[in-house]
Amino acid sequence: MARLAEQMLAHMAEQTRQIDARDQQIAQQAQALKFKDARIERITFELARLKAWRFGARTEAMNAEQRQLFEETLAEDQASLEAQLHALQGKGSQASAPPADGQAPRKPRRQALPEHLRRVEHRHEPESTLCPSFGCGQPMTRIGEDVSERLDIVPAEFFVHRHIRGKWVCKCCLRKGEGSLVQESVLPQIIDKGQPTAGLLAHTLVSRFVDHLPYYRQEQINARSGVHTPRSTLAAWSGAASASLMPLYEAHRAFVLGAAVLHADEIPVRMLDPGAGKTVKAYVWAYARGEHDAMPGVIYDFCRGRGSRYPADFLSQWGGTLSCDDYAGYDAVFKRQGCIEAGCLAHARRKFDELAKAHTSPVAEQALQRIAWLYRVETQARGKTNAERLAHRQQHAQPLWDELHAWLCLERARVPDGSGIAAALDYSLRRWQALGRFLHDGAVSIDNNHIENLMRPWAMGRKAWLFAGSELAGQRAAMVMSLVHSAKLHGHDPWAYLKDVLERLLSHPNHRIDELLPHRWMPAA
């Protein structure tokens, strides 16, 4: 009886210990679930706040570069939070957290991968095609398949073209002391007896003038593939390739200046002055065919200054309507007969927008509303022909324009001289005729945003390569960027375009140079 009592006491102690351990485990699990639910709630809140920031009014206060950086960071944050949320819910949380807005989650529509990409197929079949049911074991029949595609990449691959040119001779004639060696001639190259092909030259130019990679970065990237390309060598290749593009640039300039409507703008760029040991300010002037032109194109001109003589010289043989801002440097162009000025309503709007953001003028908010009505009409006219667009503007925008003018005059009489709103009103009233040019020509745009968008590559480039090494370097950059960015306007891949052009330029007839321009280019068969 004593031994039995001891065994019972020991058993009861073991049961008590197990119950205590189980209670402790349950308490730990409850604490873990509570912590997990708290994390799910916090992550869900963060996702909701990110969406609120993305579509909130605060983003309107950012410029284009800030907004792009913000959206990239937001996409990273959102993907990270969603991955954490998925991991937490996949580990058996008590309940899946509902979407922040209370609606059923929408599955994103994934864009199909391009058809031209090379496909590497991976076949996945069961190890055994016999029926796994107990007592059956009969061969199964394949009734279909599921196909999923995933995108992969191989870093840029260098490879070598070996050109083997056979030597042929007639031994019979050779014994007679006659005959000669027969061998296929060497095809002309951009760099005679050089190593780079047209594809490598195009890659170097695109990396420099489209992706804005300085030569020292390209040298480091190429070194990862075991290829030594000193930055001086890359620069020499670019210089030789750019020189061969000069006839094409001149033909492209004639094409752009053949338009009756042009956009113009300028942007400062730092240029190295070796003699002074510092950088000086230079300018890139841009001229683009009209926003509504069926054949778009842009031409850049690198100049040492911002004086009026630069656009006057570049447009000396041109006549038509020039859309630009209020910079006085363009006045020399408009003094010539046949040149008409078109203003930029976006610049006039910007004056009121600055006051409205500072909450200093209710008049500015009313002006923004009236200008928004005009832009709504312009949006409705998008995609129409010039004649249809002009008729639509005269029917819907002209009454709004007349009302805006009367309202501006009325408000100007009410505000004191020297105030911020007075300056904004005076700007619009002073340039009223030029701002309203779009109401008299369907090919003219309501603003100059088209050319401002085409100036962004220079703004991005100067952050990467900081300054132009010389005036000639700036002119080479202007020449290459004119061609590659015009090619992008027509939907061409810049590398494919430059590679094909560099291969064909040396043997292409000069009187047919227009066939290689971006708006007429077709890949070689």
Side-chain angles (χ1 to χ4, degrees), residues 152 388 451:
D152 198 358
E388 293 172 344
I451 191 66

Side-chain angles (χ1 to χ4, degrees), residues 66 91 98 186 198 217 227 231 307 354 376 400 453 470 474:
Q66 291 173 332
K91 292 181 180 178
V186 179
R217 292 187 188 173
V227 178
R231 65 192 71 178
E354 293 172 354
R376 189 175 299 116
L400 297 174
N453 292 332
S470 65

Side-chain angles (χ1 to χ4, degrees), residues 438-499:
F438 74 103
L439 294 169
H440 305 282
D441 188 346
V444 176
S445 299
I446 192 172
D447 55 35
N448 205 31
N449 289 347
H450 177 59
I451 191 66
E452 291 187 2
N453 292 332
L454 293 173
M455 297 301 287
R456 288 181 181 177
W458 287 94
M460 296 174 60
R462 65 186 179 185
K463 289 184 178 181
W465 32 259
L466 301 180
F467 55 84
S470 65
E471 185 175 1
L472 288 176
Q475 293 171 355
R476 285 196 301 271
M479 179 171 56
V480 176
M481 292 179 71
S482 298
L483 295 173
V484 295
H485 289 290
S486 294
K488 290 177 64 176
L489 288 176
H490 290 273
H492 303 320
D493 173 25
W495 177 81
Y497 170 72
L498 275 184
K499 176 180 180 294

Side-chain angles (χ1 to χ4, degrees), residues 324-328 331 341-345 347-348 351-352 401 404-405 408-409 412 419-437:
C324 58
D325 54 24
D326 194 28
Y327 175 50
D331 292 345
E341 180 183 8
C344 175
L345 189 59
H347 277 75
K351 306 290 185 181
F352 296 108
W401 189 254
L404 177 61
H405 185 260
L408 290 173
C409 294
R412 182 62 185 90
S419 62
I421 188 61
L425 293 169
D426 288 340
Y427 178 88
S428 297
L429 292 173
R430 186 181 72 252
R431 294 184 51 77
W432 190 254
Q433 184 177 1
L435 292 174
R437 189 68 59 191

Side-chain angles (χ1 to χ4, degrees), residues 138-392:
Q138 297 295 319
M140 294 184 293
T141 302
R142 198 173 191 272
I143 60 173
E145 62 187 14
D146 290 329
V147 179
S148 63
E149 293 189 335
R150 303 181 68 182
L151 190 61
D152 198 358
I153 184 174
V154 176
E157 177 190 5
F158 287 89
F159 61 97
V160 179
H161 288 281
R162 296 189 67 197
H163 296 273
I164 303 173
R165 298 161 49 241
K167 298 180 179 180
W168 297 81
V169 68
C170 177
K171 291 186 177 181
C172 177
C173 296
L174 187 61
R175 286 192 295 266
K176 299 178 182 178
E178 301 175 356
S180 60
L181 179 70
V182 177
Q183 189 178 33
E184 187 71 15
S185 60
V186 179
L187 296 177
Q189 301 290 328
I190 297 294
I191 301 178
D192 191 28
K193 298 181 180 180
Q195 288 184 335
T197 63
L200 182 54
L201 293 175
H203 175 74
T204 304
L205 292 176
V206 169
S207 298
R208 172 72 172 179
F209 299 113
V210 178
D211 301 327
H212 311 293
L213 292 175
Y215 293 128
Y216 78 90
R217 292 187 188 173
Q218 295 188 47
E219 178 183 358
Q220 295 171 354
I221 293 172
N222 296 346
R224 291 202 297 264
S225 298
V227 178
H228 180 55
T229 52
R231 65 192 71 178
S232 58
T233 300
L234 294 172
W237 290 352
S238 295
S242 301
S244 66
L245 294 173
M246 180 64 73
L248 196 60
Y249 173 79
E250 294 298 333
H252 183 62
R253 171 178 173 171
F255 162 70
V256 172
L257 298 186
V261 176
L262 286 180
H263 295 265
D265 199 9
E266 74 286 340
I267 187 173
V269 175
R270 304 303 301 181
M271 181 183 69
L272 182 64
D273 185 1
K278 60 181 181 180
T279 60
V280 296
K281 183 183 289 188
Y283 281 86
V284 174
W285 296 76
Y287 308 90
R289 293 172 70 97
E291 179 183 7
H292 305 296
D293 199 309
M295 291 291 182
V298 62
I299 193 83
Y300 300 109
D301 185 30
F302 187 89
C303 303
R304 298 186 66 92
R306 200 189 179 200
S308 60
R309 65 185 180 92
Y310 296 109
D313 291 344
F314 197 88
L315 302 175
S316 59
Q317 305 298 322
W318 175 82
T321 302
L322 182 66
S323 179
C324 58
D325 54 24
D326 194 28
Y327 175 50
Y330 298 103
D331 292 345
V333 178
F334 301 125
K335 290 180 181 179
R336 298 201 317 267
Q337 186 176 3
C339 294
I340 304 173
E341 180 183 8
C344 175
L345 189 59
H347 277 75
R349 181 192 180 279
R350 205 167 294 160
K351 306 290 185 181
F352 296 108
D353 185 59
E354 293 172 354
L355 296 173
K357 287 179 178 178
H359 304 290
T360 59
S361 174
V363 177
E365 296 181 358
Q366 297 181 35
L368 292 177
Q369 182 62 47
R370 291 177 178 273
I371 294 175
W373 295 342
L374 291 167
Y375 271 96
R376 189 175 299 116
V377 174
E378 193 66 17
T379 301
Q380 296 170 355
R382 190 171 299 277
K384 298 179 181 292
T385 64
N386 291 339
E388 293 172 344
R389 186 180 301 107
L390 179 60
H392 184 83

